[in-house]
Amino acid sequence: MLFKQQALLRQKLFLLGSLAIGSLLYLVARVGSLDRLQPICPIESRLGPPHLPEQIPLRTLQYKRGLLHEIRKGNATKEQIRMHNLVQQLPRAIIIGVRKGGTRALLEMLNLHPAVVKASQEIHFFDNEQNYARGIDWYREKMPFSFLHQITIEKSPAYFITEEVPERIFKMNSSIKLLIIVREPTTRAVSDYTQVLEGKERKNKTYHKFEKLAIDGNTCDVNTKYKAVRTSIYTKHLERWLKYFPVEHFHIVDGDRLITDPLPELQLVERFLNLPSRISRYNLYFNATRGFYCLRFNNVFNKCLAGSKGRIHPEVDPSVVAKLRKFFHPFNQKFYQITGRTFNWP
């Protein structure tokens, strides 16, 4: 009787062992097949991993900002670049406009994020025929060195209004993320005029008053041939972009709010770019002398925007302001409808 029980026990143990081995072999085969089924695509065509901290700790990227700074100044050796696996990547996001909407402020503020690397200068690759003829490798060489899982961002506001640009960017990367920062259209047009006026005055040149440029003297209608006015018709330009990119590829930033309360706008951009939230109140402090928020990277390094930002606008005839706002109103309504974002513009 005892021998029979021992034999039955051995038989059960044998069966359990066989089942365990079989299950293990099935799991190994299954995992292997799943690995083979993973999609493979070039890194340039992807926006980047949504959980960046799991690949490169953001603390590590923060510590290595100094190295990237030295590289930008030209002080790093080729050996240092190779040792840290630094590369020049095509941008995964571009601030395409709008001129005088706050593009520089947005770029500098996003650069607070340790996973973001910015191109310091406007490259004007896609809107300049001579630059575009130099090819994509020339464009890549204009980008800063970065770690593989950082996002490179550049900004050239002329991209938004230049007809050829949407197709050219689409050919480079059809899944790229596009940022558009806008302000109230009439205010933006006056700001545009003010920058040009300042440039003329520096050269001791005269310039027409804003009212004369913005209003057609013959018809008394808004002069849509004036570039500052035409640029503020946001929906006209956006419709051209939508022929190539779905609306989900765009994020609209409120340029007026970025001036008065930047953090909520930056947090929206972080989510749009699939970045972990890292920019905080600590990184932004209001400078009463300048009247703008400045940037705090750490306890040692702070940065304010150039003194040319926030120019005082000339007084504009209230009747002209009212005429412009009435003109822009239907275009603004369409812009709200397309983008899904509403602003309190008059």
Side-chain angles (χ1 to χ4, degrees), residues 16 37 60 65 79 107 121 125 146 219 238 246 251:
L16 288 172
L37 289 172
T60 301
R65 272 189 183 276
E79 179 61 24
L107 183 67
Q121 303 298 321
F125 176 64
S146 62
T219 65
L238 182 58
H251 178 73

Side-chain angles (χ1 to χ4, degrees), residues 138-306:
W138 178 88
Y139 181 52
R140 189 197 303 270
E141 288 171 2
K142 294 295 179 181
M143 296 299 150
F145 280 93
S146 62
F147 299 100
L148 281 172
H149 297 293
Q150 285 180 305
I151 293 178
T152 299
I153 300 180
E154 78 123 322
K155 75 104 176 174
S156 293
Y159 289 168
F160 185 59
I161 63 171
T162 306
E163 290 189 11
E164 298 83 4
V165 171
E167 182 179 5
R168 289 174 175 179
I169 291 182
F170 180 83
K171 287 179 178 178
M172 177 191 74
N173 183 356
S174 61
S175 64
I176 198 164
K177 299 261 183 168
L178 303 166
L179 294 162
I180 305 172
I181 181 167
V182 295
R183 297 186 69 194
E184 191 276 313
T186 301
T187 303
R188 195 222 64 81
V190 175
S191 181
D192 199 330
Y193 166 83
T194 304
Q195 179 170 314
V196 176
L197 175 64
E198 185 181 275
K200 297 284 186 181
E201 290 176 342
R202 279 202 305 265
K203 298 175 182 177
N204 294 318
K205 293 182 178 181
T206 58
Y207 197 49
H208 295 297
K209 292 188 70 175
F210 176 79
E211 292 87 341
K212 188 171 183 179
L213 294 168
I215 305 298
D216 189 314
N218 296 321
T219 65
C220 291
D221 292 330
V222 172
N223 180 16
T224 55
K225 293 181 180 179
Y226 178 39
K227 188 175 181 180
V229 168
R230 197 167 63 250
T231 298
S232 285
I233 308 175
Y234 303 139
T235 185
K236 290 289 187 182
H237 306 294
L238 182 58
E239 285 172 343
R240 182 168 57 248
W241 284 85
L242 290 171
K243 293 177 183 177
Y244 295 91
F245 297 95
V247 71
E248 294 80 14
H249 282 222
F250 299 88
H251 178 73
I252 310 301
V253 179
D254 186 340
D256 294 309
R257 193 183 183 199
L258 193 75
I259 295 171
T260 60
D261 188 17
L263 184 59
E265 288 298 316
L266 295 172
Q267 290 173 334
L268 289 173
V269 176
E270 284 178 323
R271 287 201 288 272
F272 174 68
L273 297 177
N274 295 323
L275 292 173
S277 181
R278 288 297 181 273
I279 302 173
S280 68
R281 294 279 176 199
Y282 168 81
N283 300 117
L284 303 159
Y285 67 95
F286 188 76
N287 185 309
T289 303
R290 290 177 175 267
F292 284 94
Y293 277 86
C294 293
L295 317 179
R296 181 185 291 115
F297 288 85
N298 50 47
N299 292 331
V300 178
F301 181 54
N302 298 343
K303 181 178 183 179
C304 288
L305 297 179

Side-chain angles (χ1 to χ4, degrees), residues 35-51:
D35 285 342
R36 290 191 296 273
L37 289 172
Q38 293 300 315
I40 298 173
C41 58
I43 193 165
E44 298 290 355
S45 68
R46 286 185 282 121
L47 193 67
H51 303 297

